Amino acid sequence: MIQAEEAEEIGVEHLLRDIRDVAVGTLSARITSQLQSLQGLHLRLRDIGTYLGKVANGELPVNHAILGNLQDVFNLLPGLSAPAAPGKSNASAMNGHAANGTTAPLEKPANELARAMSVKTNDQLMSIYLSSLIRAITAFHDLIENKIQNKQRHDEEHKEEEKDEKEKAKEKEGEKEKEDKDAKPKSKN
């Protein structure tokens, strides 16, 4: 069983807390930030949809400057959806139904940009995961190595203490023998 002093235990707890905060805290902060960004985007898109609905219903006048800005935004977006196969409408292609109403399996997307973006995103996420995993393993390795060094140091100190105690015991025995030898000649006189 490995025993540690209170200061060492506090240091180990601090190290483990730091590991958890660095690995999880950063990831947690990034996910929270991305979630807030997506929620903000969702609100803006809903506002745009509401505005366009009101313009289409005639509740608001057409503002060409706003529509021009929206067109610019939509032109910057990459086309990630696969074009519909011949004989299928967009809605039926999305739902997996053929034009005649029968169910047909969805075809793999033919759009290379969508596939490339998916592959790149997966590669980036995998590298982030692996780097976090490697950082945690390295920290645990260092922790274990530190514990081994502390145990070896403790064992060496313990051996030195035992050696000192044996030497003191031998010195005491030597002194007793010397006293006994000194005491015997005096009693003979």
Side-chain angles (χ1 to χ4, degrees):
M1 181 173 164
I2 299 174
Q3 295 181 354
E5 293 181 16
E6 185 178 353
E8 291 173 331
E9 290 176 3
I10 291 171
V12 169
E13 288 174 6
H14 185 69
L15 176 64
L16 291 175
R17 183 174 20 136
D18 287 348
I19 291 171
R20 183 176 59 238
D21 289 345
V22 168
V24 176
T26 304
L27 180 62
S28 167
R30 287 181 57 193
I31 290 173
T32 302
S33 173
Q34 288 179 351
L35 177 63
Q36 290 172 345
S37 298
L38 288 173
Q39 288 172 341
L41 178 63
H42 181 261
L43 290 174
R44 301 306 183 277
L45 289 174
R46 192 173 62 194
D47 291 344
I48 290 170
T50 303
Y51 169 76
L52 292 175
K54 288 181 179 180
V55 168
N57 292 336
E59 297 175 19
L60 290 175
V62 175
N63 186 336
H64 293 288
I66 293 174
L67 292 179
N69 286 336
L70 286 175
Q71 186 63 46
D72 289 341
V73 169
F74 291 127
N75 287 339
L76 292 174
L77 295 174
L80 296 178
S81 61
K88 290 186 178 183
S89 69
N90 283 341
S92 64
M94 296 291 282
N95 294 329
H97 296 285
N100 61 6
T102 62
T103 303
L106 286 175
E107 296 179 13
K108 291 184 179 178
N111 192 339
E112 289 299 316
L113 178 61
R115 185 176 183 284
M117 287 184 72
S118 296
V119 168
K120 185 173 182 174
T121 301
N122 288 343
D123 289 347
Q124 289 173 345
L125 292 175
M126 185 176 67
S127 66
I128 290 170
Y129 175 73
L130 285 175
S131 65
S132 296
L133 188 62
I134 289 169
R135 184 176 31 223
I137 289 171
T138 303
F140 281 125
H141 181 276
D142 292 344
L143 178 67
I144 291 169
E145 199 62 37
N146 187 20
K147 287 295 255 184
I148 290 171
Q149 289 174 357
N150 287 342
K151 177 152 177 44
Q152 289 173 347
R153 195 174 311 127
H154 180 271
D155 289 346
E156 288 173 4
E157 290 173 1
H158 186 67
K159 286 180 183 177
E160 288 177 14
E161 288 174 4
E162 286 180 358
K163 187 177 178 182
D164 290 342
E165 288 175 8
K166 286 180 182 178
E167 288 177 5
K168 287 180 183 178
K170 284 182 181 179
E171 287 177 7
K172 286 182 181 179
E173 283 180 20
E175 288 176 8
K176 281 185 181 181
E177 287 178 7
K178 188 176 181 182
E179 287 176 4
D180 289 342
K181 286 181 183 179
D182 289 341
K184 285 183 182 180
K186 289 180 184 178
S187 60
K188 288 182 182 180
N189 291 336

